[in-house]
Amino acid sequence: MEPIQLLVTLDGRYLPQLGVLLTSLAVNDPGVPVELYLMHRALSPEELDRAGQMCARFGWKLHPVQVDKSLFAAAPVTRQYPQEMYYRLLAPHLLPQHVERVLYLDPDILVINPLRPLWEMDLKGRLFAAAAHTGTTELANSVNRVRLGTDHDYYNSGVLLIDLAAGRRRIVPGEVFAYVAEHGKELLLPDQDLLNALYGDDVLPLEDVVWNYDARNYNTYLLRSGRVCDLDWVMAHTAVLHFCGKSKPWKKRYVHRFGVLYKHYMRLAARI
């Protein structure tokens, strides 16, 4: 079975959440082979060893990728726009040449059903596959279309299937840096805005209720689906549960519905 080539980008503060993400994937896609590319700027040897131990528990391979900051000498980099914001879009140029596609996941995610159908999806010539969190109305989409000058949905960049081989030909770092230099003051969620402004027309849309479920919005999904997507449906069909926003389930006073499920996987990760 071909391994899923998984990409995460993080610093040492998110290693506990990485452990939860990997545990949820191992439990809910049992037997799946994974090669994890961990892209970082300055993880310590001890932190990389922790990540390696997480992967070894499941028989997976870890490939640390330390990004040379000199690659971003021409990039607008500030406290608001750190170099990490470019990593996802520039993954074709940062990952090894033999890797032809990769599945990027934010670390604040639970995998609760198999990922392989997404991994094997035909991109139909597109650079990316991603989902839009459209919400109860088209207001957010309309605002973002006007703000970024686009005519497509506003795609969330927390789950991205990326055609690296095509990206090496079609994504030009200098063009990305130039866009930020010209439009930096307009970017609200910089890495996500870049995806939408520069490559939104090259995105294959995914169903967010399956592949990038916003864990804050259970009632929205329930109403939008005519009450089909209830808790039983989510547990049977949703693959990626994404804890978007500032409020996180590993912190105190998290109030949204799936917080207890996240805490369950936190306990599992601690036991393994």
Side-chain angles (χ1 to χ4, degrees), residues 218-231 233:
Y218 171 78
N219 289 331
T220 296
Y221 289 114
L222 186 65
L223 291 172
R224 195 171 71 185
S225 67
R227 308 194 72 82
V228 170
C229 297
D230 58 12
L231 280 174
W233 190 98

Side-chain angles (χ1 to χ4, degrees), residues 4 11 97 104 106 108-109 119 148 184 192 251 258:
I4 293 177
D11 59 27
Q97 291 289 312
Y104 170 84
D106 273 351
D108 56 349
I109 274 173
W119 170 249
L148 298 174
Q192 198 156 275
K251 297 180 179 180
F258 294 99

Side-chain angles (χ1 to χ4, degrees), residues 30 52 68 176 207 213 219 221 240:
D68 184 350
V176 176
E207 287 187 87
Y213 186 107
N219 289 331
Y221 289 114
V240 175

Side-chain angles (χ1 to χ4, degrees), residues 135-163:
T136 53
T137 71
E138 282 294 305
L139 178 60
N141 268 333
S142 298
V143 169
N144 284 311
R145 287 188 188 109
V146 172
R147 184 170 63 85
L148 298 174
T150 62
D151 58 5
H152 51 73
D153 285 343
Y154 185 73
Y155 298 108
N156 181 273
S157 62
V159 179
L160 290 175
L161 183 62
I162 309 172
D163 184 338

Side-chain angles (χ1 to χ4, degrees), residues 81-212:
Y81 306 133
Q83 72 175 48
E84 285 86 352
M85 82 179 219
Y86 299 104
Y87 288 178
R88 272 170 271 195
L89 286 186
L90 299 186
H93 302 287
L94 298 172
L95 293 177
Q97 291 289 312
H98 70 271
V99 185
E100 296 191 347
R101 74 161 43 190
V102 75
L103 177 59
Y104 170 84
L105 296 179
D106 273 351
D108 56 349
I109 274 173
L110 288 179
V111 176
I112 60 174
N113 277 296
L115 282 180
R116 183 156 292 276
L118 175 57
W119 170 249
E120 295 178 346
M121 187 174 291
D122 181 359
L123 280 168
K124 300 178 181 178
R126 307 291 181 89
L127 283 177
F128 302 95
H133 292 154
T134 53
T136 53
T137 71
E138 282 294 305
L139 178 60
N141 268 333
S142 298
V143 169
N144 284 311
R145 287 188 188 109
V146 172
R147 184 170 63 85
L148 298 174
T150 62
D151 58 5
H152 51 73
D153 285 343
Y154 185 73
Y155 298 108
N156 181 273
S157 62
V159 179
L160 290 175
L161 183 62
I162 309 172
D163 184 338
L164 298 175
R168 292 181 184 111
R169 300 188 302 270
R170 292 154 58 184
I171 296 175
V172 179
E175 293 177 357
V176 176
F177 301 155
Y179 185 90
V180 177
E182 183 176 353
H183 299 281
K185 293 181 180 179
E186 304 161 24
L187 305 180
L188 301 180
L189 298 171
D191 49 353
Q192 198 156 275
D193 283 353
L194 281 174
L195 169 70
N196 282 275
L198 293 175
Y199 304 106
D201 290 330
D202 226 341
V203 172
L204 179 72
L206 299 174
E207 287 187 87
D208 58 328
V209 71
V210 176
W211 299 117
N212 193 343

